[in-house]
């Protein structure tokens, strides 16, 4: 059964899209990630125009993150002040990112940059995660204690000016790295269609030394607002949000996530992380091959106002 | 005209032996000496279609439309020997097009060169009584803007390397044909009675919306006689088209709706699947 996507302007098999949404939802529930970094490449593999895949991916992250954000908000594990500072950076970053997106699209280099960014990020993050999880699996096998977080050694970031007190996180921290981090995530949200949790969470833990109990809630707080804002700006600037595609992905995704969570709870953390790392690497390699292998058709046509 | 008529008579006598296809070819050649002469022919061409608006539903997978037409003031003799040819083309709305070419840079395939063309038809379906090259000579077809090969592709702006524009032109036509947007049917026009013809013109599944033009041209012995055109609006119906219009004309409302739907879906799932 095919369904016509009004913005992507092509017909797709509805079951392929639902299956994709459910599979990514399952994985995101299992690993506790937003799934934007898997959805966007999968859509590109399925010949959805990268511009639409990215803008729609950002929209889909809103749905997959809201339930987590609400849960953390109810439990009070959100540092609202830190979240707001990240958000200011994030909104500025998303605005700049959408303009960059428009510029790259006009230059005909958008697809290339999206793929390159994915290859670099997925390769790096996947590689680091695999290394870390293999090490901790080894340590667990030798019955050594697993240290989740190294002791709070202060680094150069804590010597920057414009300090601010974040009570919930028990931090006295310069606002500069917070804004910069938020900005960078905002750019990634608009150019890659991801929530950015996979970068923000490690950055908050290792660079800002935010306590782990508020990290997830605070990053989800920021992600919800930045992805929602990006969706609106992408819709008004690039007309690239496909609501039919996003709707199908969301519905399948939120259901898949429920099953993913249940499976994830029964698996060990290191194995889970190793699995996610392998998946991330596989997607990165697949995208990388697309860039390196000779294409079937070296010419492409863009009709209409872009070009 | 006397030379011409005698040539015709000769051909007419030969016709039963040679077949009509060859006849027309011979006729076209017999006009060589008269190149440059502006003929004024009495024939008139009239065409009609049952509607001037075509509504495409979301599950549209391509269809034929039928264009009927007559040749008036025709020469019965020429009609009988098949000397008249009709070409019917459905031309889509004009849109600027950019063709890009990938090249390998440091091991990666990157869009390097591009050529931007003046607005070209976003779709083009052509039907004719016979293959175009046996209807008239290339120069005649080109002068009358008919045929996929003769779609005007004029580069705009400064060109890097003019010698490569030909490659980009060919790539454009090739990709548009592969996408089904440019199509031809060399036997799509048939005479249903003496001077009444029926042209089946293919609407591709991915037909662009907007103002299309049906253009019919009449050829007589390889000479262009006359043409006529009618406008045809292609609109898409259904929720999909409504969505498209909303996204482009009220993009802020559309963006807010997309976010609202995402928030609602996510929230609803957390209510439905709440564990306790």
């Amino acid at each position: 059964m095919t369904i016509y996507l009004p913005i992507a302007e092509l017909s797709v098999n509805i079951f392929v899209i639902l299956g994709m949404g459910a599979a990514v939802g399952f994985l995101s529930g299992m690993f506790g990630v937003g799934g934007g970094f898997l959805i966007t490449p999968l859509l590109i593999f399925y010949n959805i125009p990268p511009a639409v895949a990215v803008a729609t991916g950002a929209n889909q992250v809103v749905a997959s993150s809201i339930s987590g954000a609400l849960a953390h908000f109810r439990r009070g594990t959100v540092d609202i002040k830190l979240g707001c500072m990240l958000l200011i950076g994030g909104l500025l970053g998303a605005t700049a990112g959408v303009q960059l997106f428009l510029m790259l699209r006009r230059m005909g280099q958008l697809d290339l940059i999206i793929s390159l960014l994915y290859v670099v990020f997925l390769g790096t993050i996947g590689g680091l995660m695999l290394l870390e999880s293999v090490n901790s699996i080894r340590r667990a096998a030798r019955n050594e204690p697993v240290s989740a977080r190294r002791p709070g050694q202060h680094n150069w970031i804590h010597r920057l000016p414009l300090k601010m007190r974040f009570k919930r996180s028990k931090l006295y921290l310069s606002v500069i790295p917070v804004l910069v981090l938020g900005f960078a995530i905002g750019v990634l949200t608009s150019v890659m269609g991801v929530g950015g949790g996979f970068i923000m969470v490690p950055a908050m833990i290792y660079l800002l030394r935010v306590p782990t109990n508020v990290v997830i809630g605070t990053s989800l707080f920021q992600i919800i607002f930045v992805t929602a804002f990006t969706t609106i700006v992408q819709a008004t600037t690039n007309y690239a949000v496909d609501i039919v595609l996003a709707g199908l992905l969301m519905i399948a995704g939120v259901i898949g996530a429920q099953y993913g969570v249940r499976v994830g709870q029964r698996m060990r953390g290191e194995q889970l992380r190793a699995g996610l790392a392998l998946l991330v690497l596989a997607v990165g390699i697949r995208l990388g091959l697309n860039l390196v292998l000779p294409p079937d058709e070296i010419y492409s046509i863009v009709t209409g106002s872009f070009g | 005209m006397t030379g011409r008529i005698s040539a015709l008579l000769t051909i007419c006598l030969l016709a039963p032996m040679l077949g009509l296809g060859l006849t027309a070819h011979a006729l076209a050649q017999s006009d060589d000496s008269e190149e440059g002469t502006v003929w004024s022919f009495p024939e008139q061409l009239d065409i009609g279609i049952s509607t001037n608006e075509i509504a495409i539903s979301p599950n549209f997978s391509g269809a034929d439309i039928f264009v009927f037409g007559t040749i008036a003031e025709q020469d019965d003799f020429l009609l009988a020997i098949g000397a008249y040819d009709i070409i019917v083309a459905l031309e889509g709305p004009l849109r600027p097009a950019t063709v890009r070419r990938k090249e390998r840079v440091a091991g990666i395939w990157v869009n390097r060169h591009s050529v931007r063309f003046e607005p070209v038809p976003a779709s083009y379906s052509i039907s004719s009584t016979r293959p175009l090259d046996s209807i008239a000579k290339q120069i005649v077809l080109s002068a009358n803007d008919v045929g996929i090969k003769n779609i005007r592709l004029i580069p705009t702006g400064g060109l890097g390397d003019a010698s490569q524009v030909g490659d980009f032109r060919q790539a454009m036509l090739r990709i548009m044909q592969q996408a089904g947007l440019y199509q031809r049917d060399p036997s799509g026009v048939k005479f249903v009675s003496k001077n009444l013809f029926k042209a089946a013109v293919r609407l591709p599944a991915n037909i662009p919306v907007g103002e299309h033009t049906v253009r019919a041209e009449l050829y007589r012995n390889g000479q262009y006689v006359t043409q006529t055109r009618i406008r045809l609006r292609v609109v898409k119906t259904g929720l999909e088209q409504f969505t498209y219009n909303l996204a482009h004309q009220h993009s802020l409302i559309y963006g807010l709706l997309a976010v609202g739907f995402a928030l609602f879906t996510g929230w609803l799932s957390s209510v439905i699947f709440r564990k306790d």
Side-chain angles (χ1 to χ4, degrees), chain B residues 91-110:
Chain B
E91 297 173 359
L94 296 176
R95 289 181 187 164
T98 305
V99 180
R100 299 200 173 101
R101 186 171 63 197
K102 283 197 169 81
E103 275 166 44
R104 201 166 207 156
V105 180
I108 292 171
W109 289 87
V110 180

Side-chain angles (χ1 to χ4, degrees), chain B residues 178-234:
Chain B
Q178 279 165 2
L181 287 166
Y182 287 2
Q183 298 197 13
R184 71 178 120 217
D185 182 356
S187 57
V189 183
K190 296 212 161 52
F191 281 94
V192 287
S193 74
K194 200 182 75 176
N195 62 345
L196 177 70
F197 63 85
K198 179 174 95 167
V201 182
R202 189 84 193 144
L203 301 180
N206 46 355
I207 188 166
V209 292
E211 285 286 341
H212 291 240
T213 306
V214 180
R215 184 154 59 104
E217 293 190 351
L218 177 65
Y219 286 80
R220 169 176 141 164
N221 295 329
Q223 297 277 340
Y224 167 79
V225 178
T226 183
Q227 64 164 287
T228 180
R229 51 181 76 203
I230 38 180
R231 289 194 170 284
L232 180 67
R233 264 188 77 75
V234 174

Side-chain angles (χ1 to χ4, degrees), chain A residues 134-306:
Chain A
V134 167
N135 280 339
S136 52
I137 288 171
R138 275 209 197 124
R139 271 199 302 272
R142 278 187 262 127
N143 282 326
E144 284 172 29
V146 181
S147 62
R149 183 182 163 211
R150 263 164 276 149
Q153 193 76 39
H154 275 229
N155 53 22
W156 61 272
I157 280 173
H158 292 257
R159 270 177 255 128
L160 290 169
L162 290 172
K163 292 213 171 185
M164 216 179 206
R165 197 166 294 284
F166 298 103
K167 277 194 197 124
R168 187 69 190 76
S169 307
K170 300 187 185 73
L171 278 176
Y172 186 56
L173 181 67
S174 163
V175 75
I176 294 169
V178 179
L179 289 174
V180 168
L181 178 62
F183 186 88
I185 302 296
V187 172
L188 292 186
T189 300
S190 48
V191 180
M192 294 174 74
V194 296
F198 67 102
I199 293 171
M200 188 144 57
V201 171
M204 283 167 81
I205 294 174
Y206 296 110
L207 296 177
L208 305 183
R209 307 280 182 214
V210 178
T212 40
N213 62 335
V214 294
V215 163
I216 305 285
T218 309
S219 91
L220 280 173
F221 172 85
Q222 192 257 11
I223 284 170
I224 283 291
F225 286 100
V226 173
T227 50
F229 176 76
T230 303
T231 304
I232 292 167
V233 181
Q234 286 285 25
T236 52
T237 313
N238 288 306
Y239 311 107
V241 179
D242 197 306
I243 202 167
V244 175
L245 179 61
L248 291 173
L249 291 174
M250 285 170 199
I251 292 166
V254 293
I255 295 169
Q258 301 302 324
Y259 294 95
V261 169
R262 279 165 217 178
V263 173
Q265 281 162 349
R266 270 184 261 129
M267 285 178 72
R268 294 189 52 182
E270 304 92 67
Q271 288 165 349
L272 218 55
R273 285 203 298 275
L276 180 60
L278 287 175
L279 186 74
V280 165
L281 278 178
V283 174
I285 289 167
R286 175 73 174 74
L287 271 174
L289 282 179
N290 273 6
L291 292 177
V292 177
L293 294 176
D296 295 335
E297 173 66 82
I298 60 169
Y299 290 93
S300 57
I301 302 178
V302 185
T303 52
S305 49
F306 288 111

Side-chain angles (χ1 to χ4, degrees), chain B residues 22-132:
Chain B
L22 208 59
T23 311
H25 190 64
L27 279 171
Q29 275 188 349
S30 74
D31 289 334
D32 269 10
S33 56
E34 289 148 333
E35 197 112 310
T37 317
V38 179
W39 295 92
S40 80
F41 297 106
E43 289 89 345
Q44 297 291 314
L45 192 60
D46 287 309
I47 55 169
I49 40 176
S50 56
T51 173
N52 52 15
E53 183 170 288
I54 292 182
I56 305 284
S57 63
N59 56 359
F60 180 70
S61 58
D64 283 335
I65 56 160
F66 292 101
V67 179
F68 286 89
T70 56
I71 307 171
E73 306 290 325
Q74 82 282 15
D75 183 319
D76 286 340
F77 172 68
L78 290 176
L79 194 61
I81 64 162
Y84 288 120
D85 279 299
I86 291 143
I87 302 172
V88 178
L90 177 69
E91 297 173 359
L94 296 176
R95 289 181 187 164
T98 305
V99 180
R100 299 200 173 101
R101 186 171 63 197
K102 283 197 169 81
E103 275 166 44
R104 201 166 207 156
V105 180
I108 292 171
W109 289 87
V110 180
N111 282 333
R112 280 297 297 278
H113 296 286
S114 67
V115 173
R116 192 171 164 80
F117 292 107
E118 298 266 3
V120 291
S123 64
Y124 189 85
S125 292
I126 187 162
S127 282
S128 49
T129 43
R130 287 186 289 161
L132 290 191

